[in-house]
Amino acid sequence: MLKEDDIRRVIAEVVRNVDATQLSADCEFADSNIDSLDHWSILLALQEQFGLVVPDEDLEQTTSIEKILTYAAGQKA
């Protein structure tokens, strides 16, 4: 099961200019200097490490740590 700490670790690995420990779970990535390429890279890393698959049409549902957790929980249901 994907956890908040897992997402923060991936963000820290992928996005060098953002302190993932300082991100609030509900903060939108765009408001934290995480651009669309970084967003894609985060999702690709989550797919590789945790099997989270996000189709293009669902990208807007994964724009914060909290939204990724909610999306992942819905995939497992």
Side-chain angles (χ1 to χ4, degrees):
M1 173 179 233
L2 187 62
K3 297 181 178 126
E4 185 173 331
D5 287 341
D6 297 326
I7 298 171
R8 289 183 187 282
R9 182 179 45 76
V10 167
I11 292 171
E13 291 170 0
V14 172
V15 187
R16 301 291 181 194
N17 63 335
V18 172
D19 183 354
T21 63
Q22 299 299 312
L23 285 178
S24 64
D26 63 344
C27 183
E28 292 288 319
F29 290 155
D31 296 334
S32 301
N33 295 321
I34 297 175
D35 63 24
S36 60
L37 182 58
D38 291 332
H39 183 190
W40 265 109
S41 297
I42 291 166
L43 293 177
L44 286 174
L46 290 171
Q47 180 176 355
E48 289 174 6
Q49 295 178 31
F50 301 99
L52 178 67
V53 178
V54 181
D56 292 348
E57 60 269 13
D58 291 347
L59 282 179
E60 288 302 314
Q61 297 177 43
T62 61
T63 56
S64 71
I65 293 171
E66 186 175 81
K67 287 181 179 180
I68 291 173
L69 288 170
T70 300
Y71 187 86
Q75 265 196 345
K76 299 294 180 187

